Amino acid sequence: ASSDDDGDDGDQNGAAMALPAEHDWNTRFQSILRNIRTAVGVDETRRRYQELSSLVTDFIYLAETYAKIIISETYLPVERKTIKPLKGIGGVAGGDKYIVHGILFKFSNNSNGLYPSDEAASKVAAHDLKGLRAYFNCGIAQLHLPIMALVDYSGFRMSCQSMLPIDGSTLVYGSSNGALDVHTHRRLHVLLGKAARRINIKSHWAGRREPQFVHAAVDLEGHLGHDGHFYLVDFSRTLPPERPVKALRAAQLFRLLRPEFVKQSRIQLCPDAYSGFLPADQVDAAGGLHEHNREIDIATAELTTVVVPRAAAEMQRTVHRDDFNLQTEMHRRGINLRYLGAVRKYTSSGWLRTLILVEMIARVVKNDLRAELRKTLQRTVLPLEDPRRKAVISFLNIATA
């Protein structure tokens, strides 16, 4: 399907709704961004950024408040929940969804069985924020994005987004049904092409019934909102996957390459590689399914055999600096923290090897503690604080004994 309309053919992804002014986060957010772009002088620019800071602070406060309530009542029967989950809002990949005071809450758990674990589902939520940031950093004023925050509580993660003036009728680009139907829009296609070049991702054919040439992951949704602006939602697969590990189910959904690595890549990489959304028989100058997958294999090999060893050598020379931060150093070189072990293998510095080992242990402990908190909440059912505190104390006593 294609569209060139500029009018209101206006889901987050189910229903646009009229909001009280204090809860219309989107209108306030977009207005502040426009004012920042047109601000004249240091004083006005500072004032506009203070407005943005105030708005985001209020948004995060409400997001944390209600996310904790929703998470605490995870295992209560629906009829006993303070905030009821919504039906018919978007697809299954985003988890259970709720709307409170103009904020869309998406539960990043594995209740739908799509991922191998709740931790994998949490990573997808993190990729959603990372993808949004990638498009925001493109600096394309005509592409409007929601405010987004992640809340981690009691071992679960919740994604919180400002409601947008969109619904099922406003989708003009991408797919909301697993690439069965892919929409295109001439003006939005041009804007997303510009964004793709800045992020350094590959344009490609995608779709399972009638493939379309797209400049983004096919399930990135582009909407022509009821206010006449273009909006993007569902950013979790903005960045290309690394070569999937066969032992990990749906690894292509949560083991993605970092934006720094993608930006520095000599070749543009396809975000839909290994997704099942690429038509097997559609080939053009940019290649087809097998070429897209092969390029991901090459990039993954370059990451593990070139970038990681080089980073290990560089960090070995700077590890004793006062401002050295292991996570920052790896990320700015485009290396995911899951490659900590590989970096450690390539360094002979005792101090760096110790730092890496401590980080690896801390990450394992963190994931195990999150799992223990989830089990405790499932066991108690009721949103009680004391059982969680005792679970944390008991776990840390065992972990540090």
Side-chain angles (χ1 to χ4, degrees):
S2 65
S3 171
D4 296 325
D5 299 341
D6 293 332
D8 289 346
D9 62 358
D11 159 332
Q12 222 153 294
N13 221 0
M17 60 179 65
L19 296 169
E22 66 272 18
H23 296 154
D24 191 354
W25 305 100
N26 177 66
T27 298
R28 295 161 64 192
F29 180 53
Q30 306 303 338
S31 175
I32 290 172
L33 291 181
R34 283 194 295 272
N35 290 337
I36 288 174
R37 285 192 289 267
T38 59
V40 177
V42 174
D43 290 341
E44 184 183 358
T45 300
R46 182 186 299 114
R47 186 170 67 255
R48 298 306 185 189
Y49 274 107
Q50 287 173 342
E51 292 175 359
L52 179 61
S53 176
S54 178
L55 177 70
V56 171
T57 297
D58 288 343
F59 180 88
I60 291 175
Y61 176 79
L62 275 182
E64 289 181 340
T65 299
Y66 289 102
K68 288 179 179 179
I69 294 173
I70 294 169
I71 291 171
S72 295
E73 298 183 342
T74 299
Y75 295 104
L76 281 177
V78 172
E79 63 274 12
R80 294 176 59 190
K81 290 178 184 285
T82 305
I83 303 168
K84 306 292 192 292
L86 300 174
K87 302 296 182 184
I89 301 291
V92 300
D96 300 330
K97 299 173 178 67
Y98 306 76
I99 294 177
V100 188
H101 295 312
I103 302 176
L104 173 67
F105 294 83
K106 297 197 291 185
F107 213 150
S108 304
N109 61 14
N110 194 37
S111 60
N112 48 52
L114 183 62
Y115 309 107
S117 66
D118 283 328
E119 285 299 326
S122 293
K123 291 182 185 298
V124 173
H127 289 315
D128 203 19
L129 180 58
K130 203 178 298 177
L132 183 151
R133 190 180 297 126
Y135 278 101
F136 185 85
N137 289 340
C138 288
I140 301 174
Q142 300 93 324
L143 294 179
H144 297 74
L145 311 170
I147 308 175
M148 183 186 296
L150 298 181
V151 176
D152 288 336
Y153 183 68
S154 200
F156 288 99
R157 173 167 289 169
M158 183 151 280
S159 172
C160 316
Q161 299 179 33
S162 53
M163 289 293 294
L164 302 176
I166 63 175
D167 56 38
S169 69
T170 61
L171 178 65
V172 295
Y173 201 93
S175 176
S176 62
N177 61 359
L180 287 176
D181 301 294
V182 182
H183 304 260
T184 63
H185 185 286
R186 178 175 51 82
R187 287 178 54 213
L188 188 50
H189 190 69
V190 172
L191 295 172
L192 286 173
K194 185 184 298 185
R197 290 188 291 274
R198 294 181 182 180
I199 299 171
N200 202 28
I201 53 177
K202 188 178 186 181
S203 304
H204 58 285
W205 290 90
R208 292 198 277 173
R209 280 203 285 235
E210 295 183 15
Q212 301 289 337
F213 192 72
V214 294
H215 292 307
V218 71
D219 51 2
L220 175 85
E221 295 183 21
H223 290 257
L224 183 56
H226 290 296
D227 59 358
H229 296 309
F230 288 125
Y231 290 92
L232 301 181
V233 295
D234 293 350
F235 306 91
S236 65
R237 294 195 316 107
T238 294
L239 299 168
E242 67 174 36
R243 182 177 183 175
V245 177
K246 292 182 180 179
L248 281 177
R249 176 164 51 88
Q252 76 279 4
L253 300 179
F254 60 89
R255 299 190 72 164
L256 307 186
L257 297 168
R258 285 201 58 82
E260 299 89 349
F261 178 83
V262 173
K263 184 78 172 178
Q264 298 164 11
S265 175
R266 294 175 289 103
I267 56 174
Q268 291 183 329
L269 302 171
C270 177
D272 282 326
Y274 285 107
S275 67
F277 297 149
L278 298 174
D281 57 350
Q282 196 83 45
V283 179
D284 61 10
L289 180 153
H290 298 295
E291 180 66 13
H292 300 325
N293 291 352
R294 188 182 71 85
E295 288 169 346
I296 291 295
D297 295 347
I298 293 172
T300 304
E302 180 177 353
L303 174 63
T304 56
T305 62
V306 178
V307 177
V308 165
R310 183 173 62 217
E314 292 171 353
M315 287 191 288
Q316 186 167 304
R317 292 193 295 270
T318 60
V319 67
H320 293 289
R321 286 191 335 213
D322 291 340
D323 62 347
F324 182 88
N325 181 284
L326 180 60
Q327 179 172 315
T328 300
E329 293 297 323
M330 289 189 62
H331 281 174
R332 76 181 184 86
R333 291 174 170 82
I335 304 173
N336 310 79
L337 290 181
R338 60 178 170 269
Y339 287 107
L340 279 166
V343 174
R344 190 172 187 267
K345 183 180 73 172
Y346 284 107
T347 180
S348 59
S349 165
W351 182 239
L352 181 56
R353 288 175 63 83
T354 299
L355 278 180
I356 292 174
L357 182 60
V358 169
E359 180 69 25
M360 292 167 67
I361 293 172
R363 289 172 63 80
V364 171
V365 169
K366 178 197 72 173
N367 289 337
D368 287 350
L369 177 56
R370 285 168 57 91
E372 186 62 33
L373 286 170
R374 290 193 295 271
K375 291 177 185 176
T376 300
L377 187 57
Q378 185 175 21
R379 187 167 56 249
T380 59
V381 179
L382 293 173
L384 304 175
E385 184 64 23
D386 189 57
R388 288 201 287 264
R389 287 181 180 175
K390 289 179 178 177
V392 171
I393 293 170
S394 176
F395 178 87
L396 292 179
N397 281 338
I398 295 172
T400 60

